[in-house]
Amino acid sequence: MIKSLPKTVMLASARPAFRLSPAARILSNRLRPRSVTPIAFSPSVRAFSQTALLRESKKSDDGDDKDGKDSPAKKETEDLSEDKPESAESTTTSTTDKKSASKSKSDDKHVDAKESAKDGTTKSDESTPTRASRSRDSESGKAAKESRLSAAASDSSKKSGSDSNSGTQTNSKVLNAVPDEIPELMALPIVARPLFPGFYKAVVIHDARHIEAIKELVKRGQPYIGVFLNKEASPKSEAIMAQDEIYHNGVLAQITSVFPQSDIKDPNQKEGLTIVLYPHRRIQIESVEIAEVGNAEPIAAKEESATEAEVTSFDIVPEGETAQDSPMAFLRNKVTMVHVVNRPDDTFNKTDPTISAVVSEIVTLLKEISTMNPLFRDQITAFTLSLSSGNVYEEPVRLSDFAAAVSAGESSELQDLIDTRDVGERLQKGLVLLKKELMNAKLQSKINKDVENKIQKRQREYYLMEQMRGIRRELGLETDGKDKLVEKFKERAEKLELPEVAQRVFDEELSKLMNLEPAASEFNVTRNYLDWITQLPWGRQSSENYSIKHAMTVLDDDHYGLKDVKDRILEFIAVGKLRGNVDGKILCFVGPPGVGKTSIGKSIARALNRQFQRFSVGGLSDVAEIKGHRRTYVGALPGRIIQSLKKCQTENPLILIDEVDKIGHGHQGDPASALLELLDPEQNHSFMDHYMDIPVDLSKVLFVCTANMTDTIPRPLLDRMEVIRVSGYIAEEKKAIAMKYLAPQAREQSGLKDADVELTPEAVDLLINSYCAESGVRNLKQQIDKVYRKAALDIVKDAKDDEEVVKPAPIEVSALTGEKEEKAPESMKPYAVPESVHVHITPDNVSNYVGPPVYVHDKLYESEPPVGVVTGLAWTAMGGDVFMIESVLESPLQTSSTASFKRTGMLGDVLKESTVIAYTFAKMYVATQYPENRFFDHARIHLHCPEGATPKDGPSAGVTISTSLLSLALNRPIDAAIAMTGEITVTGRIRRIGGLREKFVAARRDGAKTVLFPKANMADYEALPDNLKEGIQGVPCTYFDDVFNQCFKGLSREEGNKVWANTLKSEDTKSGPGGPGNGLGDLFPPLGGGVNEIHA
């Protein structure tokens, strides 16, 4: 592939015979290439040229006799024979010939290459008609001119002979004239842009065969090639492999300069050759001769004398002569050769209005483009100087080619101008290209203006900021930014006790900061990192207080009850006092919402005189929140732990991690696993944060975690924590908390601290029993706040001076800016409640403040419940709860009825299995204890758990379900004051359950007097506080007989056998679907799943 150099149009006139001013001649000389390889014709070519000129002169003289017009050859002869040149250019040519002759005598071997290139253009086909039309000779002068031409030819022959002996190459116009026809040429393909006549083009070639051929052409004095545009934008090879690879319309170009490529940077790139081409005229291919592939025969032939290798003509080979006589014959089968013919333009009239209008429009566009693009301005100036007539309207052909040469059109568009012979059509196509160029120039101008405006704005801002900094430095208000930062970091580091690793990293980063420019992106990263290092509390600790009395006072002031929790905290403080520290402790408070887990952590921090910091990990799914981000990310930050240390400014704070049971798990890592290193006393002494990337000692930090349940906490994480369960509050504890803490806080926050507003204890009892049945006190606090807000509203409504005049904010004029500024209005004074106002909230009017009761129907049966209804106890995430088990007969008991059992109430899988076990056990128990009772043989039973919208699950309801079924079978109601819990097996053994404290709290809230629980939970029962057990009889049970004796007191065996004797008057002794021992019968499919689950 032939590569063109960057688009630079080198302009030169195809007609050297025109007058130039001295300044124009200097500019024209500057536009010519400097480093030019001299080109000289061989003696045979020079002899041929002289003969051809004589022959053409005779033909033109004969033609002039006939039509009265001078031929081109005749005119060229006239130019050479005139004593006075027509222009400064002709004078320069004559001078050059004289210098050449004198140099040949002194054996000078070098000739000016610029004159050679220039002489090659003097005989172009464009200049010949013009000069032929300018002057005519008389018949009497023809013979004299012919004799002068012959004399010049003979002198040239003598000179060439002397040159061959002395080695000097002669370069004259007569010898270097461009032939009118060169039928056979070497074809050179180019890409991207075609060449246009009259405009120089530099081309780089890399093909070895092409380079060798061009060098040989220059050496032989035959520097003419055909240049054609390749149809492909990126051909695989520079050589022409097929005749359809190139366009068949191109230009005849003369090689004016040859020099090796000097900008080769890639060692694998082939050696190149740069040639400067001057296109003379358009040509068209008639046939193509593709070179043989792999032909390694050298192109350069052995040196031959002028007599052995005589060249006859550039024209078509005459009949009877061999093709080897062609000057280009030595290139055949070496490179691709083409047979061409000239492609002249169609005749046109310069005065045509259409052509004149298009020319005017092109000139206008060029002027407009030149105002926007300085490069166009220079090219237009050079083009104007190159015009022989000095008037662009006289040379529309040159103008059309110039428009195409300077435009950045597509290859197909530019080739279309080469193909077009009609000058008018070519001008219009050139006009279209210039229109596009104008649009691009306007767009570039707009972009340049926008960029310049932005740059000017930024420069102006930068200049003003630098002035401001200079003024502040002169006033002593500010020093250099980077120096000030370095001093600040050094001062911070001196006050800290940095470990060896941290000190080494600090020194390295500080040295890096000093060598960085403030505008560098790495500067801010390093500055932020040093800021974090120097803001951590290295070696800084708060003095701890291990006083047991102080701790007891703080805990009692902040919390009521929770004796077991307070005892565990006091034990923890006592051990710390004996050891001197409380390092390596991780506590986890587990309990329902609203019981004060977070506030307990605050109380511990206050009792130990430690800084307190809390963050929640509920829903956290990114491990970077725990261990930080890498510093490579934009906006990277350390993890929550490092941030907490920075806020507390001590190495031994109390950090509370809330909601560890609700931690998430996403695609960005597992935060629960990241907490393993954090909460392990054996590992957190060298905790590695991703951002800090240096070990941080967290062994002095006291971690306290909170959770509602332990089921969702990963087991490895749960093993690292000491679990302390915080159960719910009973009604008495809620009442005490409300009267001692909640009511005074709500009263003060409502602005009623000095007003006579009283919330009676009876009203608090009603709020607890009818509005706030949960284990915690959060809802109770909300209800008390609502009561006091309502009371405040009533007091303000009844006030006489309710209208408050709001004064407008004063407006002052700023002395600095001169603008009006509105000052903040003065704060309004609090309203003083008159002493005559008295508000008392009692059970009678509490509904006016908080609305109707919420738990009106919490206790389904205030008096003795019906048969088959039993009170059970359950544990949920919200604390303990009471639920009822109801069993009924679907149809009257008959001997012909078939036994069946179905259950409803949103039951989970475990609870469904418990109902099956309980049903089987109840049948077995009745069959063994009361064999004559045939209830289960014929009963169609429906068991239901109320609140069907609430999912229920767990095994601890087995005892309750069995009791409900036996109550139905024995037709004996169960006392409503008896509540029970426990898992039962098919043999009647009662298994251990969980959440006994919460269940006792729920039983006490429900008013139960007796609680039946598994004997395996006796240790949990003894650990219950006395105020919780007060008024409740706890009955431990090992087998179901213990439960039966409490629920069915005074029931004899005879009474149990005869319960249904009157109903079942006769027994069906036939075995069948309804006979004894049928089991579950047609058991209905169960319902339900589980969210709020009942656990064992």
Side-chain angles (χ1 to χ4, degrees), residues 66 160 223 234 236 285 375 515 898 969:
K66 295 179 181 180
S160 63
S234 299
K236 297 180 180 178
I285 297 176
L375 180 61
N515 295 326
T898 302

Side-chain angles (χ1 to χ4, degrees), residues 115 132 206 240 263 361 395 727 735 798 822 872 881 1068:
E115 289 296 332
H206 297 281
I240 301 175
D263 57 346
E361 183 65 22
E395 302 186 31
S727 303
K735 182 178 180 179
D798 296 338
E822 183 176 349
D881 198 4
D1068 187 9

Side-chain angles (χ1 to χ4, degrees), residues 375-647:
L375 180 61
F376 268 85
R377 191 180 306 119
D378 298 339
Q379 293 172 347
I380 293 171
T381 303
F383 171 70
T384 305
L385 294 175
S386 70
L387 295 175
S388 60
S389 62
N391 186 0
V392 71
Y393 292 93
E394 296 295 327
E395 302 186 31
V397 176
R398 294 289 309 283
L399 181 63
S400 64
D401 290 340
F402 175 74
V406 298
S407 65
E410 299 290 337
S411 300
S412 58
E413 296 176 338
L414 298 177
Q415 180 63 32
D416 191 19
L417 268 76
I418 293 291
D419 299 338
T420 304
R421 301 178 62 175
D422 184 81
V423 177
E425 183 180 354
R426 192 189 304 168
L427 284 170
Q428 293 181 358
K429 292 179 180 180
L431 177 63
V432 174
L433 293 177
L434 288 179
K435 283 283 187 182
K436 295 180 180 179
E437 199 69 29
L438 177 61
M439 294 174 62
N440 293 336
K442 289 182 178 179
L443 181 59
Q444 292 177 0
S445 177
K446 181 179 180 301
I447 294 174
N448 290 336
K449 288 181 180 179
D450 294 342
V451 173
E452 289 177 0
N453 292 336
K454 291 181 181 179
I455 293 176
Q456 290 176 358
K457 181 180 178 182
R458 292 178 182 175
Q459 289 178 342
R460 180 174 178 274
E461 292 176 353
Y462 176 78
Y463 177 72
L464 293 176
M465 291 298 297
E466 288 298 323
Q467 280 188 331
M468 185 183 298
R469 292 195 185 106
I471 293 172
R472 293 179 66 87
R473 282 195 295 268
E474 290 295 329
L475 295 175
L477 302 177
E478 183 181 275
T479 59
D480 185 67
K482 186 166 67 174
D483 296 339
K484 185 177 180 181
L485 280 175
V486 173
E487 293 177 3
K488 181 180 69 173
F489 290 142
K490 287 182 178 180
E491 291 176 0
R492 288 183 183 176
E494 291 175 357
K495 299 177 182 178
L496 301 174
E497 299 178 5
L498 290 172
E500 182 180 355
V501 177
Q503 183 67 47
R504 184 169 61 252
V505 173
F506 173 78
D507 294 339
E508 292 176 357
E509 294 295 326
L510 190 64
S511 177
K512 183 195 297 184
L513 183 71
M514 295 171 64
N515 295 326
L516 287 173
E517 291 295 330
S521 59
E522 188 70 16
F523 184 84
N524 290 329
V525 176
T526 306
R527 182 187 64 182
N528 293 337
Y529 182 60
L530 288 172
D531 192 42
W532 276 100
I533 290 180
T534 55
Q535 286 194 7
L536 290 182
W538 304 99
R540 188 183 301 163
Q541 300 180 14
S542 59
S543 58
E544 295 182 308
N545 189 347
Y546 295 109
S547 173
I548 299 296
K549 293 183 179 180
H550 173 71
M552 291 178 63
T553 303
V554 172
L555 294 175
D556 290 339
D557 289 344
D558 295 343
H559 295 85
Y560 180 84
L562 304 178
K563 184 177 182 301
D564 52 346
V565 178
K566 293 179 180 179
D567 291 343
R568 180 63 189 88
I569 295 172
L570 293 176
E571 294 170 4
F572 173 76
I573 295 175
V575 172
K577 183 174 183 179
L578 295 176
R579 294 185 58 214
N581 59 71
V582 288
D583 299 342
K585 295 297 180 181
I586 295 96
L587 304 179
C588 181
F589 295 116
V590 179
V595 297
K597 300 184 293 296
T598 303
S599 60
I600 291 175
K602 293 181 180 180
S603 300
I604 297 174
R606 194 158 70 92
L608 292 174
N609 193 30
R610 290 195 176 200
Q611 296 294 323
F612 176 80
Q613 186 63 34
R614 170 196 169 274
F615 67 89
S616 176
V617 294
L620 194 68
S621 60
D622 188 0
V623 70
E625 293 290 335
I626 304 297
K627 302 202 68 174
H629 303 81
R630 301 287 183 186
R631 292 202 303 275
T632 54
Y633 297 109
V634 177
L637 286 174
R640 298 280 188 90
I641 303 301
I642 302 299
Q643 295 180 28
S644 299
L645 291 179
K646 176 186 175 182
K647 293 176 182 178

Side-chain angles (χ1 to χ4, degrees), residues 34-174:
R34 299 300 179 189
S35 300
V36 181
T37 301
I39 300 175
F41 291 105
S42 63
S44 59
V45 176
R46 289 197 296 271
F48 159 75
S49 300
Q50 297 161 11
T51 305
L53 286 174
L54 290 174
R55 196 164 51 240
E56 291 297 328
S57 177
K58 292 179 180 179
K59 291 180 182 179
S60 60
D61 292 341
D62 295 339
D64 290 339
D65 295 338
K66 295 179 181 180
D67 53 13
K69 294 184 179 179
D70 295 338
S71 65
K74 174 185 174 183
K75 193 58 186 177
E76 293 293 340
T77 308
E78 291 177 3
D79 293 340
L80 289 172
S81 60
E82 286 177 354
D83 295 332
K84 294 183 180 181
E86 292 182 359
S87 63
E89 198 69 24
S90 300
T91 305
T92 306
T93 304
S94 302
T95 306
T96 304
D97 293 338
K98 294 178 182 180
K99 290 181 179 180
S100 176
S102 62
K103 287 181 181 180
S104 64
K105 295 179 181 180
S106 61
D107 295 334
D108 189 357
K109 299 182 180 181
H110 299 284
V111 181
D112 187 3
K114 295 180 182 178
E115 289 296 332
S116 175
K118 178 180 170 183
D119 293 340
T121 63
T122 57
K123 300 299 181 178
S124 64
D125 57 333
E126 295 180 3
S127 62
T128 301
T130 305
R131 284 197 295 267
S133 60
R134 282 205 307 261
S135 63
R136 302 175 185 270
D137 290 336
S138 61
E139 290 294 333
S140 60
K142 291 181 182 179
K145 292 180 181 179
E146 184 175 350
S147 62
R148 286 197 301 270
L149 184 59
S150 300
S154 61
D155 293 341
S156 179
S157 300
K158 294 178 181 180
K159 290 180 181 180
S160 63
S162 62
D163 291 343
S164 62
N165 296 328
S166 61
T168 304
Q169 296 177 349
T170 305
N171 195 15
S172 65
K173 284 188 174 184
V174 176

